[in-house]
Amino acid sequence: MDKATKGGLAVGALLLAMLLGNSLVGINPIGYHADCIDAVDNDQDGDVDGMDYECVEYPYADGNGEDYTPFQERSTGDSYQSFFEYHRDYMQPMSIPQIDTICINIAIGEYNDDDAQKANAWTIENDVDCEKGGP
């Protein structure tokens, strides 16, 4: 291979690496639905955000917010903001519904591995015994 060919391959490889790197930088997880974080009772059922059953079940922007999101319209995966962190941050702190929701999701394996670790740490930090149902 001559010098020009080697130089061209090196430049091509560098450009490919830059394009790949730039494409990965823009990947953001799907966030929470505006109805589930705006402190407004959008569906007028008496429950707001993290206390609204539909948000507790599926708080993501690709769902229906405080209105029910059918199971066939829900996605799963690691490209979503933390399910546990939604329950921790948007439900009434240390309320029975918050404790029950987190404990049930731990028990049935609804949290991904990262969320399960965070949830277990939260139970320890807050002296929550999921088997007994509270602090």
Side-chain angles (χ1 to χ4, degrees):
M1 236 188 275
D2 64 9
K3 254 185 170 178
T5 304
K6 287 181 183 178
L9 289 175
V11 169
L14 180 62
L15 287 173
L16 182 62
M18 287 173 44
L19 286 172
L20 182 58
N22 283 340
S23 68
L24 293 176
V25 169
I27 297 174
N28 292 318
I30 293 173
Y32 305 127
H33 194 287
D35 285 1
C36 295
I37 59 174
D38 63 1
V40 174
D41 182 9
N42 297 287
D43 61 359
Q44 300 176 351
D45 66 353
D47 296 316
V48 176
D49 298 346
M51 299 308 284
D52 193 292
Y53 177 75
E54 290 81 9
C55 285
V56 170
E57 239 189 31
Y58 195 80
Y60 299 109
D62 63 347
N64 298 325
E66 288 188 15
D67 293 316
Y68 180 72
T69 303
F71 287 105
Q72 64 272 19
E73 293 178 19
R74 299 177 188 187
S75 296
T76 58
D78 292 334
S79 62
Y80 285 76
Q81 278 188 279
S82 170
F83 197 36
F84 161 72
E85 288 175 5
Y86 180 80
H87 295 148
R88 181 195 66 201
D89 297 342
Y90 290 98
M91 296 187 78
Q92 183 180 359
M94 296 309 294
S95 64
I96 296 300
Q98 182 192 47
I99 292 168
D100 286 350
T101 297
I102 291 171
C103 288
I104 288 167
N105 279 290
I106 291 171
I108 65 173
E110 195 66 27
Y111 292 141
N112 65 26
D113 291 342
D114 188 44
D115 273 354
Q117 289 177 353
K118 291 176 190 175
N120 285 319
W122 179 86
T123 62
I124 293 166
E125 291 167 13
N126 291 286
D127 198 28
V128 171
D129 183 347
C130 286
E131 292 183 24
K132 292 183 181 177

